[in-house]
């Protein structure tokens, strides 16, 4: 997810805006579940969105035009 998000950020950053004094940038928050935990429940999905949102705001706070990521712990480790 982070690799795709970074490629997207770079492509957007390279766009040539109509206004010569304008720039286009994007900040992306990404979160993913470990591949070892393929079962996603609704609480996991809600937590995944929350973590992506937190990563987005970390990126904005850190200066924007960047990709920030967060990886959720597996459901099993959260229950342990």
């Amino acid at each position: 997810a982070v690799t795709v998000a970074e490629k997207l950020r770079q492509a957007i950053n390279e766009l040539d805006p109509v206004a010569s004094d304008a720039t286009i940038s994007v900040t992306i928050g990404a979160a993913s579940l470990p591949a070892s935990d393929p079962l996603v429940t609704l609480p996991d999905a809600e937590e995944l969105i929350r973590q992506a949102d937190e990563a987005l705001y970390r990126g904005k706070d850190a200066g924007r035009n960047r990709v920030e990521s967060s990886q959720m712990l597996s459901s099993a480790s959260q229950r342990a």
Side-chain angles (χ1 to χ4, degrees):
V2 172
T3 302
V4 172
E6 181 58 28
K7 287 180 182 180
L8 178 61
R9 186 200 65 77
Q10 288 175 358
I12 290 170
N13 198 49
E14 293 172 3
L15 291 174
D16 189 19
V18 175
S20 62
D21 60 341
T23 58
I24 300 173
S25 66
V26 64
T27 301
I28 300 171
S32 61
L33 291 167
S36 62
D37 189 15
L39 300 176
V40 178
T41 63
L42 184 56
D44 289 339
E46 290 171 349
E47 177 64 12
L48 191 66
I49 292 168
R50 187 189 68 73
Q51 287 196 15
D53 192 51
E54 284 182 4
L56 171 65
Y57 284 99
R58 273 197 320 273
K60 288 183 176 197
D61 289 342
R64 302 181 182 226
N65 196 29
R66 58 190 302 126
V67 173
E68 288 288 329
S69 67
S70 175
Q71 184 172 5
M72 280 185 57
L73 299 173
S74 71
S75 299
S77 67
Q78 287 179 343
R79 288 189 215 83

